[in-house]
Amino acid sequence: VTMHVGLGAGLIISLIPLWLHLRFGVGGAELGPLFVVANAVMAASYLVSPTLSRRIGPVRAIVSTQMLSTAFLVIMPVMPAYNIVAVLYVIRTFLMNMSGPIQSAFIMSLISPEERASASAICSPQSGVVWGVSYSVSQGIGGFMLEQGMLALPFYICGLLYLLASIFFLVFFRESKV
């Protein structure tokens, strides 16, 4: 599951500034404020995630936020204006990053205390080895796609990988009572 998200994220998420420049011709003056807002919203999502997890359960919280985030992601390349894409990007950032702390806590709750450090190093979302290696490998592929003018394809492949990750997570953990 972590590998799918890492592969997808590497394809386009880290390349969003380049994509925005290629697609809409925007530069630092427009991108700076967007990423300030996106990072502030990301921080807020971390604060909201425990409440969501308690309210609907960790598995449903993880899957629902990731799937909603994926929907916003895959419509971005067909939007006609930078302002629309900027709003979609901020919403996507909020939703996708809300699932990270929930997923980390959930996975750690399934692992014995003496194994948690190793498990975190291997499979933590956005910081584990599995995520990091898959993210690194796919960045080059995403960059190549953008260089070749395939501006929408990385979004769709990323969306498919995110969708698969959400489905796998639901299938593997839906019966969990944690």
Side-chain angles (χ1 to χ4, degrees):
V1 172
T2 301
M3 179 185 71
H4 289 86
V5 174
L7 283 170
L11 280 174
I12 194 63
I13 303 305
S14 62
L15 300 171
I16 291 282
L18 174 60
W19 179 81
L20 289 168
H21 176 72
L22 293 171
R23 175 79 163 79
F24 298 106
V26 295
E30 296 90 357
L31 295 176
L34 171 62
F35 289 106
V36 167
V37 170
N39 284 322
V41 165
M42 184 185 335
S45 77
Y46 296 157
L47 299 174
V48 174
S49 63
T51 303
L52 180 65
S53 181
R54 279 190 300 275
R55 189 163 286 168
I56 67 172
V59 174
R60 287 176 48 198
I62 292 163
V63 171
S64 63
T65 57
Q66 286 184 355
M67 286 189 155
L68 281 170
S69 167
T70 301
F72 285 101
L73 177 79
V74 298
I75 63 171
M76 286 172 54
V78 297
M79 292 295 112
Y82 168 73
N83 292 339
I84 298 169
V85 170
V87 170
L88 294 174
Y89 176 74
V90 169
I91 294 168
R92 185 222 72 85
T93 299
F94 178 80
L95 291 167
M96 190 64 171
N97 289 288
M98 187 184 296
S99 70
I102 301 169
Q103 189 173 345
S104 291
F106 175 75
I107 296 299
M108 290 305 116
S109 73
L110 300 175
I111 297 170
S112 64
E114 60 275 359
E115 297 294 327
R116 288 181 182 160
S118 296
S120 179
I122 294 168
C123 65
S124 261
Q126 300 182 0
S127 63
V129 170
V130 171
W131 190 91
V133 169
S134 58
Y135 181 81
S136 298
V137 167
S138 62
Q139 281 182 317
I141 297 167
F144 176 78
M145 288 180 193
L146 294 180
E147 182 180 57
Q148 298 303 308
M150 296 180 251
L151 300 184
L153 187 59
F155 284 91
Y156 300 140
I157 295 171
C158 178
L160 177 63
L161 290 167
Y162 282 4
L163 179 64
L164 288 172
S166 295
I167 290 168
F168 289 154
F169 198 88
L170 183 62
V171 168
F172 293 143
F173 298 113
R174 73 174 166 248
E175 301 298 324
S176 176
K177 301 296 182 211
V178 176

